[in-house]
Amino acid sequence: MLNTIHTYAAMNAGESLVRYDYQAGELCADDVEIKVHYCGICHSDLSMINNDWGISQYPLVAGHEIVGEIIALGTAVKGLQIGQMVGVGWTGQSCQSCDHCIDGKSQLCKEALPTVLKMGGFADKVRTQWQWVIPLPSHLDFAKAGPLLCGGITVFQPLLQHNINAMHKVGVIGIGGLGHLALQFLKQWGCEVVAFSSNPAKYDEIYALGADRILDSTNEQALKVERQSLDLIISTVNVSLNWNAYMSLLKPEGKLHLVGAVLDPLNMHSFSLIDGNKTVAGSTTGSPAQLRKMIDFSARKQILPRVEMFPMSQINQAIQHLKEGKARYRIVLKNDF
């Protein structure tokens, strides 16, 4: 049976998106079909559209911060129901049989497939392996929930990876689409939260988002005063910084955790690591179990991104808005097919 899915797709690297319809065919046994209500736009979508990472396939339908309603279930799907509101993030499929999958870390599966390579959420419908379909609590604001499925889990996962608790003091570099969520999570986690910003115009909002203190990242003297004061620094930026300066702010056994995709090699003195047994770490998004925990925590604490809404038919205008750095702080498309 034919099943037409309507999308906005990039036909070649770097091009504006155009209307593109395709026939999805029969639903696979492990897949769920979802009517898209909302889909966020992430910088990773731009990287995939432009083939910055060399893995894109065209036509490419991006979009991996999806909120919608289940309209069809494959024969092997468990625990989900027609009509249920759910979310889908970066990963749309994994093998479910390798050691990582069996160990509950299926985001590390070598065969894991990004949602955007399965035909993503810039569409009226999307299909995803059922294990990666995340039930959404009814008291969560569905219109704003999409960015939690990517941006949210990206900054939530380091808290789990490093066993962060309310006794820890954590810094956040980059108060944008990722960083403004990190501040909220850390505040509700009970941590002492330090934001790095050199823009006084944003200070009131940064404090409102959860920062206890703000350090001017361009003030070398202020940074020297704060030496060995942080247990963890989460960097959300995608540009190279003076990493040695930030490493000096970590306590012994502190960690610099990168979630921003910096394409240049890290320029760092070896003694930045050796002196104090410090660590540089990174992470992808998260497992289905971690995604569920993050969504439940967000709903309980009412942690949501600050979003700007566009109709999906204005997707190219929304992408340009993001490219120009004007988004405050995430963009969400509303399906108007």
Side-chain angles (χ1 to χ4, degrees):
M1 182 177 74
L2 295 179
N3 187 330
T4 302
I5 294 183
H6 308 289
T7 80
Y8 291 98
M11 306 308 288
N12 294 289
E15 292 184 354
S16 295
L17 306 194
V18 296
R19 275 292 309 274
Y20 172 75
D21 299 343
Y22 70 95
Q23 302 299 328
E26 295 288 343
L27 188 64
C28 295
D30 277 348
D31 276 358
V32 175
E33 185 166 280
I34 299 164
K35 178 182 178 181
V36 176
H37 288 203
Y38 303 97
C39 186
I41 303 179
C42 173
H43 276 283
S44 297
D45 291 315
L46 304 188
S47 295
M48 290 298 294
I49 290 169
N50 295 330
N51 199 22
D52 291 337
W53 301 333
I55 62 173
S56 301
Q57 302 170 11
Y58 300 91
L60 183 135
V61 181
H64 60 276
E65 298 179 341
I66 303 162
V67 169
E69 174 188 355
I70 295 176
I71 56 175
L73 299 171
T75 56
V77 173
K78 299 179 180 179
L80 298 170
Q81 300 176 354
I82 300 291
Q84 188 174 10
M85 290 297 293
V86 294
V88 178
W90 175 256
T91 307
Q93 181 176 310
S94 51
C95 79
Q96 303 301 321
S97 61
C98 69
D99 288 346
H100 293 306
C101 286
I102 295 300
D103 194 33
K105 300 175 182 177
S106 47
Q107 77 274 22
L108 304 178
C109 173
K110 290 183 179 179
E111 297 181 24
L113 192 63
T115 298
V116 297
L117 293 182
K118 284 174 62 70
M119 297 295 195
F122 297 163
D124 65 338
K125 292 178 289 186
V126 69
R127 291 181 172 187
T128 302
Q129 189 180 48
W130 70 266
Q131 291 91 341
W132 290 97
V133 176
I134 309 302
L136 300 180
S138 59
H139 55 288
L140 192 65
D141 186 340
F142 298 140
K144 297 180 179 179
L148 293 173
L149 278 302
C150 179
I153 188 62
T154 295
V155 295
F156 186 82
Q157 209 278 342
L159 308 187
L160 305 178
Q161 183 171 326
H162 301 300
N163 298 310
I164 296 301
N165 60 49
M167 297 299 295
H168 288 122
K169 186 174 179 180
V170 183
V172 179
I173 304 172
I175 313 304
L178 293 175
H180 90 289
L181 286 168
L183 295 181
Q184 294 181 72
F185 279 124
L186 289 164
K187 187 65 175 180
Q188 294 298 332
W189 211 253
C191 300
E192 183 176 346
V193 187
V194 176
F196 293 94
S197 175
S198 58
N199 184 358
K202 295 176 67 174
Y203 283 7
D204 287 346
E205 188 166 16
I206 290 172
Y207 282 123
L209 287 165
D212 294 295
R213 291 195 303 120
I214 298 173
L215 290 180
D216 183 346
S217 51
T218 65
N219 186 333
E220 293 185 8
Q221 186 58 40
L223 296 185
K224 286 181 181 179
V225 172
E226 297 293 330
R227 286 175 61 87
Q228 297 193 9
S229 64
L230 299 175
D231 298 285
L232 172 69
I233 297 174
I234 301 173
S235 175
T236 71
V237 299
N238 60 1
V239 295
S240 293
L241 299 174
N242 183 354
W243 301 115
N244 292 307
Y246 287 103
M247 292 298 290
S248 74
L249 302 179
L250 293 172
K251 296 178 182 178
E253 299 188 335
K255 286 126 180 126
L256 171 65
H257 191 103
L258 307 179
V259 294
V262 181
L263 298 182
D264 296 325
L266 297 184
N267 186 356
M268 186 178 297
H269 297 309
S270 59
F271 276 102
S272 292
L273 298 168
I274 294 170
D275 185 14
N277 298 359
K278 298 172 186 177
T279 302
V280 177
S283 59
T284 56
T285 53
S287 68
Q290 290 171 335
L291 280 159
R292 291 184 181 216
K293 288 178 182 178
M294 182 273 301
I295 285 293
D296 287 344
F297 185 73
S298 298
R300 179 155 49 91
K301 297 295 186 178
Q302 285 301 297
I303 296 170
L304 287 167
R306 307 278 177 90
V307 304
E308 296 180 64
M309 301 290 296
F310 286 76
M312 196 171 287
S313 56
Q314 294 182 14
I315 189 168
N316 286 310
Q317 294 94 316
I319 288 174
Q320 187 60 35
H321 190 68
L322 180 59
K323 285 180 177 178
E324 293 174 357
K326 296 179 179 178
R328 291 293 181 271
Y329 284 93
R330 307 289 291 197
I331 294 175
V332 173
L333 303 171
K334 183 177 182 180
N335 179 14
D336 61 345
F337 275 99

